[in-house]
Amino acid sequence: MRRRDVLILLGGLALLLFMTNDALAAPLIPAVNVDVGSSNKPQDVAVTLQVMALLTILTLAPGILIMTTSFVRIVVVIGFLRNALSTQNVPPNQVVIALSLFLTFYIMSPYWGQANENGIQPYMAGQITQEQAITNVVAPIREFMFKQTRESDLALFVNLSDAERPDSQDDVSTFTLIPAFIISELKTAFQIGFMIYVPFIVIDMIVASVLMSMGMMMLPPVMISLPFKILLFVMVDGWHLLIKSLIVSFK
């Protein structure tokens, strides 16, 4: 029997088996149904709303972690350093984000420890209510943000909110404090970034002047200044000084 006849025979047998219900049972495919039912108990509706609120908070957790901690200042300053060195994507974005996160954990650990000790653990033990637990958890974070927020930035958002003039920090809403804290962090990060740029700009100017005096105007100054900037940064132990300055700036 030739190969062509064998293939035709095998194809016919496969078709016959496929068409015969007894020979080959149809595979079971699981179905997933998402349904919103009705309830006659208000307790069920309350639990559903709590679950939806929890899922919303978990979705916003990365943004809350970034915008209410020291992460903003650290990642912006490291970004300024990378641009000042003209090293393009060195260190890579993954390294910058990882370093910023670990430094954030290091700086925020005392405040998160207070939040865990005064809010989460007593609530898990049933000693305080949920509302009191939220207040105790937010209190250390508010204390950190108040320390880093400028009065002018805080006054800006208080005036824009048309709220009454607060008599103390307890009267300031958290939703007013967070944007004031963010712009204060950005301003501080830009000030540090300016100080980082100054020595590297001097190197760029010197290299550009030397190249122009030598008539090498077609040669990009960045190619020549880059090794000198890296050498300067390594000789002064730049990472040590930068990280130390960032951590001290939050004290």
Side-chain angles (χ1 to χ4, degrees), residues 204 207-209 211 216-227:
D204 286 332
V207 171
S209 300
L211 292 178
M216 304 173 64
M217 292 178 293
M218 301 300 295
L219 182 63
V222 178
M223 295 181 58
I224 307 301
S225 63
L226 177 59

Side-chain angles (χ1 to χ4, degrees), residues 169-191:
Q169 293 182 352
D170 296 334
D171 298 332
V172 179
S173 172
T174 304
F175 296 103
T176 303
L177 175 60
I178 291 177
F181 167 76
I182 293 174
I183 64 174
S184 294
E185 287 294 282
L186 289 175
K187 183 177 181 180
T188 303
F190 273 65
Q191 291 175 344

